[in-house]
Amino acid sequence: MATKSGILSLEPPPYSDAQPSTRRSLRRRRRLVGTLLLIFVAGFTTLIHLDAIGDFVARSAPTTQDAFSKGLDKCYETRNRIGQNDRSPSKDRQNLRWNAITGQQSLIVIKNATLFDGEYTLEGAFDIAFESGIIRSVTPTTANEEAIDGAHVINAYGRFVTPGLVDMHSHHLLLPFPGLSAASDISERPLMGPITPFVRALDAFKPYDPAIKIIASGGVTSSLILPGSANIVGGEAYVVKNLPVPGEDGEPVVEELLLDHGLPETSRQRYLKMACGENPKNIYHNSRLGLAWLLREHLEQAQELRERQDAWCQAAFDIEGASFSKARRVSNFLDAQGKRPDELKLETSLALLRGELNINVHCYEPEDFESMLSVLHEFGVHPQAFHHALEAWQVPEFLKRLEENITIATFAENGLFKAEAYDANLRGGKILNDHGLPVAFKSDHTGEGNFAKYLAYQAAVAHSFGLPEDKSLQSVTSIPARSIQQGHRIGYARAGYDADLVIWDDHPLQVGATPTKVFIDGRDVLGAVTNSIESKINNLEAVGVQKAPAVRPTIAEELKGHICASTQNPRSNIVFTGIQKVLIDTPLVSTEDVEDYVLVVEDGQITCLGGESACLSEGIAGGFMKIALEQGYITPGLVAFGNKLGIQSIPSEGSTGDGKTGSAGDALNEEKRVHFAKYGVHLHGRAFTRARIGGITKAVTAPLFGGGIIQGVSVGLRLGENATILDGGIWKDDVALHLAVGQSAKGDDTPTVSSGIERLRQLLQAGQIAKTESDSVYAQAANGSLPLVVEAYNELILVKRDFPSINLIIYGGHGAPFIAKPLADAGIPVILTGNRGGPTSWEKKNALVGPPQTEPPAKILLEAGVLLGLAVASDSKVHGLAQEGRWAGKYAGLSDKQAIALVSTNIDAILGTSTTLDAHQGVSGQHYKGDFVVWEGDPLRGEGSVVLAIQDDGKIADCWPDTEDAVL
Ligand SMILES: *[C@@H]1O[C@H](CO)[C@@H](O)[C@H](O)[C@H]1NC(C)=O
Ligand SMILES: *[C@@H]1O[C@H](CO)[C@@H](O)[C@H](O)[C@H]1NC(C)=O
Ligand SMILES: *[C@@H]1O[C@H](CO)[C@@H](O)[C@H](O)[C@H]1NC(C)=O
Ligand SMILES: *[C@@H]1O[C@H](CO)[C@@H](O)[C@H](O)[C@H]1NC(C)=O
């Protein structure tokens, strides 16, 4: 029995059971005493050969025969394992995870669903019936009017139903919420070296991880949980269902979480995690040269053992087949060859060579794919998926040639964080799919930055950047399910599949789409949902559009050249037609929705916005560039707050940034401790391109935080295509003093959280005393002329009470919803990064996770009257700020104008940087005062592209930044 997966059997051991069980682990076998009993047990897997060798077993010496039959047993097992499992879907399958006590009790029918079945969205409405954890039937709604006896009927009112989503790369259970070092077991490193195929992720699973349910609440019902990427071969991985405590006893038991729970161990699919590139290189200080060699050396060892094993088995099969003198031949054979060569440490690697493992390889860059495939192919090994693979879009044909159907399991937008992720492309998914490669999106879940809960949103982002609707939905359902070789059970909503189903409140590719119900094995996972979701479930009125959003438009390079050349003249006059939505505050138009309005821009100022007759009758003639839009939108210029834009390009590469402020030295020593971002910024990099296509015209960037409470003084940057530091690239030298309190702010001078708050008070006191020194940052912070941005998850209201003149702003703000009213009363605004956050750390352990489980933080703060802005923590997601506004606006019931204000004018209002009329001599009160952006398509729903961005000084910042071939 070569398997060493050692999964704890939850059934009685076979020797105490009347029914022979094939589920026997090596561990249990070792416990068996008595040769006869052992032979008895071993025989069950290979009944045929037990008969054949039965007569000599009785006559020869027990130890010899025992070694031979044990070896032979393993030989048979290896031979039988290949291709033994039936992995085709079948209508009358049973769900072996189901149990009679806590399993789905009665038939459930979801009526009148718009069904994406894993491959396509079916025409018409459907009823989906499921029982005992299995989908029994999918039938057109009209053909099935009468109620089914005893069935629990859920009316979907035409809402979207999809199969449960499949995340083929997660790390929850290995690193439960809230993160604690004691519970963090991701990679086995570094003591056992960079090659650890023999370790198993399930040995570190924490089956009580609160993330299980949170992830399920995003519709993600199955996850492949892989060891981390520190090691070239990282160990075995396992697919789980995100159903907490699913067993009969309702206890947190790892085995019961496994997708394959209930299947005999030998029938279970095995998975391996491998990695290449920066992670193993950095951890073991090897170069890529050494990493490739170490893998070859290891596979060579395994290959050598495999050959010896195969030879032994071949000889053993021959002897077994002989008709006489078996006992003598067996002893001669064992004298010459010894027992079957085996090594527990190499067992997984042998399975790898024999093609028994589903291989998932973390690699990012073209040269890494090439090197990895060349080594693996040398040993006849074929991986199923490259993971992360952010630069695979550069070599789709190469990948196809070498591994025809390899799945690229990647991120829709997460990127730029290290050198091998810097050439990521927001159209990567589209490009790979255009070349015929299967594309899956996956979370890499460790926390908020790659939250598995929002897997569906990755499909939405990829769709927005051109991946077709059906492929986008497949990318989080059937494609990952097939890649992990479970396409016969999950990833589809068809008869015979596991009853993992999600009912959505809108088309699942719409921004903000949220499950209203999630079933796993036919069981309702969510239970109680928050009021705003509950009210939707049985409300016909609350059904969303049920239509996929449009892909954002792009423009051909030549056309861009044509349009943009004529707008380049700063004095140019432009007429836009086809404006349908006005999301700026202007006295010219009072409603958001307008029909085919005309926008006239003269000298960078809006001079007319209205019907054609009003705006085009004013003698507008020759000198105007006319741009005809279909779905024209006008929004304020968006503001990116707190990102690394301009201060650091690649977080893992110190040389690409300004450097960190550090935590040493006395925080009260302003001259030494307070640094200014304005001296360290540059205006280029990938994140700038992403920001520009997101309609962001301004960024507020602070120095890089290196611990301690002082981060430094932020600068206001312009993101225009041709802005330079010398020429308009900085719109405000000093925007705010940035501090941090809490765990991240522990440093040399402030070793505790409390000492950080003490220091904050002391520096404000020092600032009050130093009132007369006009250039003192602390003095300006103390009297409120320089805003004080404090990154904090918890309350700071007391500081504001004691220093009422400070202009205190909370950044981060996961804890803010709990004190929303006092914050509003104290006039403390919040710039929230945690609207789609979670309880990732102890400090944030009560953080609200948002719909469908709780109300979203933004809604609570807005309803309490807090002045609110939104920010995204990762530079790579900065292009999605408008959609972030929509996520918040959807549940807070905001108009689109109010939603877009959260990521634009509200940030200015919070920082006191709103453009005032005084700054523009001679501009009439009718004129809009601030940056504005003209879009084609709806920016909040990912359907829009920037056509023109115009700064408050009238300069054109950007013109069609997203062209057809742009690498974003
Ligand atoms: C299904 O739902 C849609 C949308 O709510 C509704 O118009 C239609 O009448 C429903 N059909 C049936 C058969 O209930
Ligand atoms: C790739 O997938 C296609 C379609 O399923 C199949 O016909 C083909 O045999 C596969 N190729 C390989 C090398 O597995
Ligand atoms: C705040 O203090 C700074 C520095 O002393 C000074 O220049 C500024 O005029 C003060 N502003 C207010 C509103 O008191
Ligand atoms: C930036 O400069 C380039 C080169 O002169 C020009 O082609 C482009 O149109 C300019 N962009 C804007 C927004 O003015």
Side-chain angles (χ1 to χ4, degrees):
M1 179 147 192
T3 167
K4 61 153 201 76
S5 53
I7 296 154
L8 196 66
S9 169
L10 296 182
E11 287 161 21
Y15 45 88
S16 67
D17 196 339
Q19 286 295 348
S21 167
T22 49
R23 299 191 49 217
R24 282 162 291 120
S25 71
L26 203 62
R27 209 186 314 160
R28 195 183 316 122
R29 294 187 92 204
R30 280 200 216 98
R31 288 203 301 266
L32 294 180
V33 284
T35 312
L36 273 176
L37 189 54
L38 193 128
I39 291 165
F40 173 69
V41 170
F44 277 111
T45 43
T46 50
L47 284 171
I48 303 155
H49 89 274
L50 183 72
D51 279 349
I53 60 174
D55 63 354
F56 75 78
V57 166
R59 275 181 271 118
S60 49
T63 46
T64 315
Q65 293 302 340
D66 180 31
F68 183 77
S69 66
K70 259 167 105 178
L72 192 59
D73 191 10
K74 287 186 175 184
C75 296
Y76 270 106
E77 232 186 68
T78 305
R79 195 160 87 174
N80 294 343
R81 211 166 31 242
I82 296 158
Q84 101 183 40
N85 300 331
D86 179 16
R87 292 186 175 273
S88 45
S90 134
K91 283 199 179 182
D92 35 48
R93 248 193 73 233
Q94 294 204 343
N95 185 339
L96 298 177
R97 288 173 45 85
W98 181 85
N99 74 71
I101 296 170
T102 60
Q104 181 189 357
Q105 295 298 309
S106 59
L107 176 70
I108 301 177
V109 183
I110 301 176
K111 283 197 76 76
N112 196 5
T114 302
L115 181 64
F116 170 75
D117 75 345
E119 197 169 4
Y120 300 111
T121 302
L122 309 182
E123 199 65 49
F126 287 83
D127 294 350
I128 305 144
F130 50 101
E131 193 174 25
S132 304
I134 288 281
I135 300 175
R136 290 292 169 222
S137 65
V138 173
T139 48
T141 294
T142 43
N144 195 9
E145 286 298 307
E146 72 278 12
I148 301 146
D149 230 15
H152 174 56
V153 175
I154 297 168
N155 197 332
Y157 297 109
R159 282 195 187 81
F160 247 84
V161 171
T162 66
L165 309 187
V166 180
D167 181 359
M168 61 184 285
H169 190 132
S170 189
H171 298 297
H172 64 290
L173 303 183
L174 293 172
L175 178 86
F177 282 166
L180 291 175
S181 61
S184 162
D185 302 278
I186 293 205
S187 290
E188 175 49 46
R189 67 174 181 130
L191 293 180
M192 291 187 184
I195 299 196
T196 57
F198 39 79
V199 303
R200 305 170 304 179
L202 67 64
D203 288 324
F205 283 0
K206 285 78 179 182
Y208 44 79
D209 185 353
I212 299 171
K213 188 166 170 181
I214 300 173
I215 289 170
S217 79
V220 180
T221 53
S222 301
S223 307
L224 173 60
I225 305 198
L226 299 150
S229 51
N231 298 351
I232 306 167
V233 188
E236 293 200 43
Y238 299 82
V239 185
V240 299
K241 287 224 187 164
N242 293 312
L243 178 64
V245 295
E248 294 188 351
D249 305 317
E251 293 175 354
V253 176
V254 170
E255 161 63 29
E256 292 169 349
L257 289 173
L258 302 180
L259 177 83
D260 276 350
H261 173 58
L263 270 180
E265 193 179 319
T266 49
S267 302
R268 296 184 179 191
Q269 177 60 52
R270 291 171 73 184
Y271 301 88
L272 190 70
K273 171 72 181 291
M274 297 182 65
C276 75
E278 281 185 42
N279 288 11
K281 178 176 141 91
N282 290 341
I283 283 156
Y284 295 99
H285 309 295
N286 288 110
S287 67
R288 283 180 165 83
L289 290 72
L291 294 174
W293 159 249
L294 289 171
L295 180 58
R296 294 179 78 203
E297 184 191 40
H298 175 79
L299 292 175
E300 171 76 14
Q301 276 169 16
Q303 180 86 301
E304 195 265 340
L305 175 59
R306 179 193 178 181
E307 280 161 12
R308 285 195 289 128
Q309 234 179 41
D310 288 352
W312 192 97
C313 287
Q314 195 46 58
F317 289 143
D318 291 347
I319 292 169
E320 190 217 354
S323 34
F324 41 80
S325 326
K326 256 190 222 161
R328 188 167 40 80
R329 291 174 73 171
V330 166
S331 355
N332 289 350
F333 172 66
L334 288 174
D335 284 349
Q337 301 294 325
K339 60 178 192 183
R340 178 176 180 268
D342 206 353
E343 211 177 316
L344 186 56
K345 207 175 169 178
L346 285 177
E347 191 278 328
T348 307
S349 304
L350 257 62
L352 170 74
L353 293 175
R354 290 186 169 124
E356 292 169 20
L357 302 180
N358 178 284
I359 304 161
N360 296 274
V361 193
H362 154 130
C363 287
Y364 283 84
E365 299 204 82
E367 75 276 21
D368 288 332
F369 306 133
E370 193 168 352
S371 157
M372 181 55 81
L373 288 177
S374 112
V375 175
L376 291 180
H377 287 180
E378 189 180 332
F379 295 90
V381 174
H382 295 276
Q384 270 71 24
F386 273 126
H387 287 235
H388 308 313
L390 284 175
E391 304 193 5
W393 63 272
Q394 300 178 13
V395 285
E397 289 300 320
F398 169 80
L399 287 170
K400 248 169 54 186
R401 188 147 27 85
L402 266 73
E403 278 298 341
E404 193 183 342
N405 292 328
I406 192 159
T407 301
I408 306 300
T410 188
F411 300 117
E413 54 183 349
N414 191 13
L416 314 186
F417 42 82
K418 52 182 169 171
E420 61 189 9
Y422 198 63
D423 279 333
N425 189 343
L426 291 168
R427 291 205 173 80
K430 174 197 186 317
I431 293 169
L432 291 162
N433 177 67
D434 286 350
H435 285 265
L437 280 161
V439 178
F441 293 102
K442 47 90 199 185
S443 69
D444 196 20
H445 177 98
T446 53
E448 261 175 41
N450 48 15
F451 207 163
K453 177 183 171 186
Y454 294 106
L455 188 65
Y457 187 52
Q458 291 201 52
V461 171
H463 175 61
S464 171
F465 285 99
L467 188 65
E469 177 185 350
D470 56 344
K471 291 290 174 183
S472 299
L473 291 171
Q474 288 170 20
S475 73
V476 289
T477 52
S478 56
I479 291 175
R482 284 206 308 271
S483 182
I484 62 173
Q485 293 169 267
Q486 300 292 354
H488 59 300
R489 280 185 63 180
I490 56 174
Y492 293 88
R494 292 177 178 167
Y497 277 78
D498 287 16
D500 300 346
L501 294 161
V502 185
I503 309 179
W504 298 85
D505 69 344
D506 202 343
H507 188 292
L509 298 177
Q510 289 285 351
V511 174
T514 301
T516 60
K517 282 231 178 268
V518 178
F519 294 95
I520 298 182
D521 301 326
R523 290 170 65 178
D524 181 349
V525 195
L526 296 180
V529 290
T530 198
N531 286 345
S532 49
I533 290 289
E534 186 66 54
S535 65
K536 290 188 172 207
I537 291 177
N538 295 312
N539 181 359
L540 186 59
E541 301 296 304
V543 177
V545 216
Q546 305 305 312
K547 213 176 90 202
V551 169
R552 64 181 67 204
T554 51
I555 191 171
E557 197 67 52
E558 314 86 71
L559 197 55
K560 170 184 160 122
H562 174 66
I563 294 175
C564 299
S566 45
T567 58
Q568 227 187 87
N569 173 2
R571 299 273 80 95
S572 65
N573 297 328
I574 308 158
V575 171
F576 295 92
T577 59
I579 301 290
Q580 317 294 352
K581 200 102 170 173
V582 178
L583 304 181
I584 55 172
D585 249 326
T586 165
L588 296 171
V589 173
S590 55
T591 57
E592 282 186 21
D593 292 303
V594 294
E595 210 186 312
D596 281 331
Y597 264 26
V598 171
L599 167 68
V600 181
V601 179
E602 291 177 82
D603 290 350
Q605 304 291 334
I606 296 175
T607 53
C608 193
L609 178 55
E612 204 163 302
S613 53
C615 288
L616 293 185
S617 64
E618 293 173 1
I620 286 178
F624 280 78
M625 171 73 194
K626 197 169 165 191
I627 300 178
L629 303 175
E630 279 170 19
Q631 286 296 320
Y633 271 66
I634 313 175
T635 69
L638 273 49
V639 184
F641 184 90
N643 296 98
K644 309 282 183 286
L645 283 162
I647 204 80
Q648 185 184 55
S649 296
I650 307 177
S652 65
E653 297 285 339
S655 67
T656 67
D658 181 46
K660 290 192 172 158
T661 52
S663 69
D666 179 3
L668 295 177
N669 186 342
E670 181 182 321
E671 278 169 23
K672 291 224 166 126
R673 279 301 305 279
V674 178
H675 302 289
F676 294 79
K678 64 185 170 190
Y679 300 126
V681 281
H682 56 77
L683 292 178
H684 48 79
R686 275 287 159 74
F688 279 79
T689 317
R690 290 193 176 191
R692 289 170 42 225
I693 65 149
I696 296 164
T697 56
K698 297 195 288 189
V700 175
T701 297
L704 286 182
F705 181 62
I709 74 158
I710 312 279
Q711 186 174 358
V713 177
S714 53
V715 65
L717 296 179
R718 289 257 185 230
L719 300 192
E721 185 182 7
N722 295 328
T724 65
I725 296 289
L726 292 178
D727 183 17
I730 291 180
W731 56 270
K732 193 167 171 61
D733 279 341
D734 302 329
V735 178
L737 172 62
H738 292 241
L739 306 181
V741 301
Q743 295 298 329
S744 67
K746 286 178 176 172
D748 293 356
D749 181 43
T750 49
T752 59
V753 173
S754 50
S755 62
I757 295 173
E758 274 160 39
R759 203 64 84 245
L760 167 60
R761 289 170 171 275
Q762 286 163 357
L763 68 84
L764 290 173
Q765 264 152 10
Q768 283 179 329
I769 294 161
K771 260 197 178 92
T772 49
E773 295 170 49
S774 61
D775 56 351
S776 159
V777 168
Y778 293 167
Q780 292 174 52
N783 76 4
S785 61
L786 186 67
L788 185 63
V789 174
V790 183
E791 177 161 8
Y793 301 118
N794 297 309
E795 44 211 280
L796 278 167
I797 290 178
L798 296 179
V799 176
K800 172 80 176 176
R801 272 186 203 153
D802 293 347
F803 299 90
S805 56
I806 61 174
N807 182 358
L808 178 67
I809 297 158
I810 291 182
Y811 172 61
H814 288 67
F818 300 109
I819 48 164
K821 198 73 190 104
L823 282 173
D825 293 345
I828 301 175
V830 175
I831 299 178
L832 187 69
T833 57
N835 192 44
R836 293 195 290 130
T840 52
S841 65
W842 193 260
E843 214 173 12
K844 295 191 277 181
K845 66 181 186 307
N846 298 320
L848 297 178
V849 293
Q853 291 179 290
T854 74
E855 298 297 347
K859 179 182 182 187
I860 295 171
L861 291 167
L862 287 164
E863 282 175 357
V866 173
L867 179 55
L868 183 71
L870 297 176
V872 292
S874 161
D875 282 10
S876 67
K877 297 182 184 169
V878 78
H879 59 90
L881 269 183
Q883 288 98 291
E884 219 52 61
R886 168 69 188 152
W887 271 102
K890 175 176 175 179
Y891 283 97
L894 304 187
S895 70
D896 283 356
K897 188 163 154 182
Q898 292 167 322
I900 210 83
L902 297 174
V903 288
S904 57
T905 47
N906 278 21
I907 308 264
D908 277 326
I910 289 169
L911 295 169
T913 52
S914 305
T915 310
T916 61
L917 276 181
D918 302 343
H920 291 281
Q921 300 295 325
V923 171
S924 97
Q926 290 294 294
H927 289 182
Y928 172 75
K929 359 156 237 188
D931 295 0
F932 66 93
V933 180
V934 181
W935 307 72
E936 175 69 289
D938 181 348
L940 289 117
R941 289 162 186 79
E943 300 177 311
S945 279
V946 173
V947 178
L948 217 60
I950 297 177
Q951 295 176 182
D952 55 9
D953 60 6
K955 276 198 187 132
I956 292 184
D958 250 310
C959 178
W960 269 111
D962 189 2
T963 54
E964 264 160 23
D965 307 310
V967 177
L968 301 168

